[in-house]
Amino acid sequence: MSEDLLPHWRSPEDVAPELGMTPTELRRYCRISTNHCTRLSRNKIMLDKSNIKAIIAYIKQENSKPVVNEETGMIDPFA
């Protein structure tokens, strides 16, 4: 089987510096999004190229949402 066809699994420790975050932050995003990572034995989080693209898209989508103040119900322009 060609090596290009095999997924290249990487740990959050390997991927996080490339994304500009800590491994803990990346693991947290993986847990929140639930389907943007792959769980291997002992529930270990691993990422391949498609998982990395999906988690980047998820983070961009979450960061683009406006922050709503719970007390007033209005969008907080300073958040």
Side-chain angles (χ1 to χ4, degrees):
M1 183 178 263
S2 173
E3 194 172 315
D4 294 332
L5 299 177
L6 297 174
H8 296 280
W9 299 105
R10 299 173 61 200
S11 69
E13 289 78 14
D14 296 334
V15 177
E18 295 174 13
L19 301 180
M21 61 180 71
T22 65
T24 304
E25 287 176 304
L26 182 56
R27 277 191 217 92
R28 187 183 70 221
Y29 281 123
C30 288
R31 287 185 187 104
I32 292 169
S33 66
T34 65
N35 59 350
H36 297 306
C37 66
T38 302
R39 301 276 185 159
L40 298 179
S41 64
R42 297 184 186 175
N43 219 13
K44 185 176 180 180
I45 294 174
M46 296 298 281
L47 303 157
D48 66 358
K49 289 179 184 181
S50 64
N51 294 137
I52 295 168
K53 288 179 184 177
I55 200 75
I56 289 170
Y58 174 79
I59 293 169
K60 285 181 180 180
Q61 177 186 1
E62 288 298 308
N63 288 339
S64 67
K65 291 181 181 177
V67 177
V68 177
N69 185 327
E70 293 178 9
E71 295 174 4
T72 63
M74 298 177 66
I75 295 174
D76 187 357
F78 300 107

